[in-house]
Amino acid sequence: MKRTSHIQELRKMIAEEKKRGRKINFVPTMGFLHRGHLSLIAQAQQKDAFLIVSIFVNPLQFGPNEDLSRYPRDLERDVRLLEEAGVDALFHPTVEEMYPNPMVTFVEVGQLDAMLCGATRPGHFRGVTTVVNKLFNIVQPDKAFFGQKDYQQYLIIERMVRDLNLPIQICPVPIVREEDGLAMSSRNIFLTSEQRQKAQILSKSLAAAELSIQTGQRSAREIERQLRERITFESQGIIDYAEVRDAGDLSEVTEIKRPVLLALAVKFGTTRLIDNKVVEVKPNV
Amino acid sequence: MKRTSHIQELRKMIAEEKKRGRKINFVPTMGFLHRGHLSLIAQAQQKDAFLIVSIFVNPLQFGPNEDLSRYPRDLERDVRLLEEAGVDALFHPTVEEMYPNPMVTFVEVGQLDAMLCGATRPGHFRGVTTVVNKLFNIVQPDKAFFGQKDYQQYLIIERMVRDLNLPIQICPVPIVREEDGLAMSSRNIFLTSEQRQKAQILSKSLAAAELSIQTGQRSAREIERQLRERITFESQGIIDYAEVRDAGDLSEVTEIKRPVLLALAVKFGTTRLIDNKVVEVKPNV
């Protein structure tokens, strides 16, 4: 596997691969890789494609009181995993390489970025869209892969690409879960074993809500009530949000008629976890 | 000359030229071409480069009370001029082609976009940077050419490209003037012959200010006072701004020590004209 921290070196490498007629596939990450990332990588390993993974913990998407400094990092372990997975190249720039000057330019996706995670993490998505736009301009991939655990992020990136005419196909990849249902996340390492146990309530409450919809419940408010009740009664988790939204554009839903996103953000101690499920409904069940 | 209104067709055309090893040079315009544009085109005609000119009057950069609907247009004349100039391809998309959906994504260059023209035209530069970002993603040029009459725009685009790692070289091209000094602009057509006469004061006052600096005046406030006095006394122009700014980052200047931008925006009747001059000073004159 090739490795570089330098934008110019990466550009050169990519230009050579393109000259040879290879497509460029790209998986941007913040490192501390888990099976969720490996699933993205497996999806991105396609015939004739040169696969680039980036590892960059992006300061721009962390709020002043968030966990930037304690965000878990283990580059050598990540490198080993990427090599075992057969990735072609790793791009792991420093903060100085990505932000040599104070940034004054930002890419913002309005509407989609103010709700759910955007409401409790002001500026977060602006940081994400700006760094992803930069990475896209550096890598110029044909396809980029994003996990659906960050469903809102996936929709925002997809919208940015469409609105700005970026010639990139955004490929969503399903959530990967632990045996007991907990969605894979680099932040899971912060959980105590008791919190780890309690955090199962996220996937369990989503499954129960899905069942409730599939057996006829069509009220978004009632589904949200059920989610909140279950999480509050069965764990000490502090709910940030538990919402039913349109799966296409995250708009508010009253009656569940089209595919919806059930979206959760819950704090266990100091660790904020998110999870979600897209539920489709058949008309006139 | 090739012509297309369609993004996909343009992309195909460009991909073929790139495959043949040609560089892509790009001149974005709003049409109604004049000698200023032709100077951009002449600069952009380089060996081994395929030259694309775009004509698109971008609604996003006009305010609700601005001159979008009456902005001058004459596509057939423009086509003739571009053919005579030997341009390789014209891209002239419709508004629907550029904005098929309501835009929610915007590219903003902070700091630089709030002063001068940004102060009187809120949202203007956000409209410019967003459409130029889109055009850059569509054309993916190696070099793009911008006139220095829109000096602030040039600096903003240059900063956007740097901050977002766009692999594009931004080439500034000097202002082209009429015989009597008036800077070329598509909007000059709106001037009555009396206003046209009075508008000479823009270039004349800039020349006088330059002379004043070169003969020792170092106070930015005094230069601004001279500019305002001359424009007010010698024309009926209504001054929007007359400022001395740092030529590199448009920051405020008190004592003129480094290259400065003398920047003017003045309304003659309903027509707002801009002009500017970069003045370098030798230390210890």
Side-chain angles (χ1 to χ4, degrees):
Chain A
M1 183 177 70
K2 294 174 179 177
R3 275 176 71 169
T4 181
S5 312
H6 299 291
I7 292 169
Q8 283 314 325
E9 199 176 327
L10 184 71
R11 285 199 206 273
K12 238 180 252 174
M13 188 194 303
I14 292 166
E16 278 167 28
E17 296 298 331
K18 285 194 173 178
K19 211 177 276 177
R20 291 204 239 161
R22 294 185 83 178
K23 299 283 180 189
I24 305 297
N25 284 358
F26 180 45
V27 177
T29 82
M30 298 210 300
F32 209 71
L33 304 174
H34 51 65
R35 284 197 292 118
H37 299 108
L38 297 180
S39 166
L40 289 171
I41 288 167
Q43 284 289 317
Q45 279 173 320
Q46 299 173 335
K47 211 166 142 287
D48 301 329
F50 184 79
L51 174 55
I52 298 167
V53 173
S54 68
I55 293 180
F56 179 61
V57 182
N58 173 37
L60 221 58
Q61 72 194 66
F62 287 80
N65 300 315
E66 291 184 2
D67 57 355
L68 171 62
S69 63
R70 68 174 198 129
Y71 194 86
R73 294 161 168 89
D74 189 343
L75 185 63
E76 289 321 306
R77 182 173 159 279
D78 289 345
V79 166
R80 212 168 52 240
L81 288 170
L82 295 175
E83 278 177 340
E84 282 167 16
V87 166
D88 294 306
L90 166 63
F91 176 52
H92 57 103
T94 59
V95 171
E96 293 67 35
E97 181 76 1
M98 288 297 283
Y99 302 113
N101 307 303
M103 284 288 280
V104 300
T105 306
F106 293 93
V107 180
E108 293 202 57
V109 178
Q111 293 176 19
L112 290 173
D113 71 350
M115 58 184 76
L116 301 178
C117 285
T120 28
R121 304 186 67 187
H124 168 66
F125 284 118
R126 190 180 80 150
V128 171
T129 44
T130 301
V131 80
V132 170
N133 194 284
K134 283 167 68 75
L135 288 167
F136 282 177
N137 290 333
I138 293 166
V139 174
Q140 298 195 302
D142 295 283
K143 295 181 187 175
F145 296 77
F146 290 85
Q148 284 189 296
K149 184 172 76 76
D150 301 295
Y151 190 92
Q152 185 177 9
Q153 170 179 282
Y154 149 65
L155 277 192
I156 286 173
I157 299 285
E158 202 275 332
R159 184 63 188 253
M160 173 184 82
V161 162
R162 199 150 30 107
D163 277 358
L164 295 182
N165 302 93
L166 283 155
I168 300 171
Q169 186 185 338
I170 301 301
C171 308
V173 177
I175 296 175
V176 176
R177 299 180 178 281
E178 302 280 3
E179 289 259 310
D180 65 358
L182 183 67
M184 293 281 176
S185 166
S186 302
R187 289 188 173 96
N188 291 349
I189 197 175
F190 294 136
L191 299 170
T192 65
S193 59
E194 197 199 336
Q195 289 168 342
R196 174 70 188 71
Q197 180 77 14
K198 296 286 189 192
Q200 293 180 29
I201 194 62
L202 296 180
S203 59
K204 290 216 164 74
S205 62
L206 289 172
E210 180 179 36
L211 187 64
S212 181
I213 293 169
Q214 281 169 346
T215 54
Q217 182 56 256
R218 289 293 175 271
S219 161
R221 293 299 83 71
E222 174 55 22
I223 294 295
E224 289 172 353
R225 198 197 56 72
Q226 289 176 13
L227 284 166
R228 293 179 161 276
E229 188 176 77
R230 200 173 282 258
I231 294 165
T232 309
F233 282 18
E234 296 184 24
S235 79
Q236 276 88 47
I238 305 296
I239 297 172
D240 177 0
Y241 60 75
E243 296 195 26
V244 178
R245 294 277 184 159
D246 184 281
D249 61 10
L250 301 185
S251 61
E252 289 186 16
V253 169
T254 305
E255 193 195 342
I256 300 172
K257 288 182 289 193
R258 279 188 299 273
V260 289
L261 177 77
L262 312 180
L264 298 177
V266 178
K267 256 187 144 173
F268 295 89
T270 56
T271 305
R272 183 177 173 279
L273 300 180
I274 58 174
D275 200 349
N276 70 74
K277 196 175 214 40
V278 175
V279 179
E280 307 203 11
V281 284
K282 289 166 195 85
N284 305 313
V285 173
Chain B
M1 182 177 71
K2 294 176 181 178
R3 274 176 71 169
T4 182
S5 310
H6 299 290
I7 293 169
Q8 283 314 326
E9 199 177 326
L10 184 72
R11 285 201 206 272
K12 237 180 255 176
M13 187 194 303
I14 292 166
E16 279 167 27
E17 296 298 332
K18 285 195 173 178
K19 211 176 279 178
R20 290 204 239 160
R22 295 185 82 178
K23 299 283 180 191
I24 306 297
N25 283 359
F26 180 45
V27 177
T29 82
M30 298 211 298
F32 209 73
L33 304 174
H34 50 65
R35 284 197 291 117
H37 297 108
L38 297 179
S39 165
L40 290 171
I41 288 167
Q43 284 290 317
Q45 280 173 320
Q46 298 174 334
K47 210 166 144 288
D48 300 328
F50 185 79
L51 174 54
I52 298 168
V53 173
S54 68
I55 294 180
F56 180 61
V57 181
N58 173 36
L60 220 59
Q61 73 194 64
F62 287 81
N65 301 313
E66 291 184 3
D67 57 355
L68 171 62
S69 63
R70 68 175 199 129
Y71 194 86
R73 294 161 168 89
D74 188 344
L75 185 62
E76 289 322 306
R77 181 174 160 279
D78 288 345
V79 166
R80 212 168 51 240
L81 288 170
L82 294 175
E83 278 177 341
E84 283 168 15
V87 166
D88 294 305
L90 165 62
F91 176 51
H92 56 102
T94 60
V95 171
E96 293 67 36
E97 181 76 0
M98 288 297 283
Y99 302 113
N101 307 302
M103 285 288 281
V104 300
T105 306
F106 294 93
V107 179
E108 295 201 57
V109 178
Q111 293 176 19
L112 291 173
D113 70 350
M115 58 184 76
L116 303 177
C117 285
T120 29
R121 303 185 68 188
H124 168 66
F125 284 117
R126 190 180 79 150
V128 170
T129 43
T130 300
V131 79
V132 169
N133 194 285
K134 282 167 69 73
L135 288 167
F136 282 176
N137 290 334
I138 292 167
V139 175
Q140 297 194 303
D142 296 284
K143 295 182 187 173
F145 296 77
F146 290 85
Q148 283 188 297
K149 184 174 75 76
D150 301 294
Y151 190 92
Q152 186 177 9
Q153 170 179 282
Y154 149 65
L155 276 193
I156 285 174
I157 299 284
E158 202 275 333
R159 184 64 189 253
M160 174 184 80
V161 161
R162 200 152 27 109
D163 277 358
L164 296 182
N165 302 93
L166 282 155
I168 300 171
Q169 187 185 336
I170 301 300
C171 309
V173 177
I175 296 174
V176 177
R177 299 181 178 279
E178 303 281 3
E179 289 260 310
D180 66 358
L182 182 67
M184 293 280 176
S185 166
S186 302
R187 289 187 174 95
N188 290 350
I189 197 175
F190 295 135
L191 299 170
T192 64
S193 60
E194 197 199 336
Q195 288 167 344
R196 174 69 189 71
Q197 180 77 13
K198 296 287 190 191
Q200 293 179 31
I201 193 64
L202 296 181
S203 59
K204 291 215 163 75
S205 63
L206 289 171
E210 180 179 34
L211 187 64
S212 181
I213 293 170
Q214 282 170 346
T215 53
Q217 182 57 256
R218 288 292 175 270
S219 160
R221 293 300 82 72
E222 174 55 22
I223 294 295
E224 289 172 352
R225 197 196 57 72
Q226 290 175 11
L227 284 167
R228 295 179 158 275
E229 186 176 80
R230 199 172 283 258
I231 293 165
T232 308
F233 283 17
E234 296 184 25
S235 79
Q236 277 88 48
I238 306 296
I239 297 172
D240 176 1
Y241 60 77
E243 296 194 25
V244 177
R245 295 278 183 157
D246 184 281
D249 61 10
L250 302 185
S251 61
E252 289 186 15
V253 170
T254 304
E255 193 195 341
I256 300 172
K257 287 181 289 191
R258 279 187 299 273
V260 289
L261 177 76
L262 313 180
L264 298 178
V266 179
K267 255 186 143 174
F268 295 89
T270 56
T271 305
R272 182 176 173 281
L273 300 180
I274 59 175
D275 199 350
N276 71 74
K277 196 174 212 45
V278 175
V279 179
E280 307 203 12
V281 284
K282 289 166 198 84
N284 306 314
V285 173

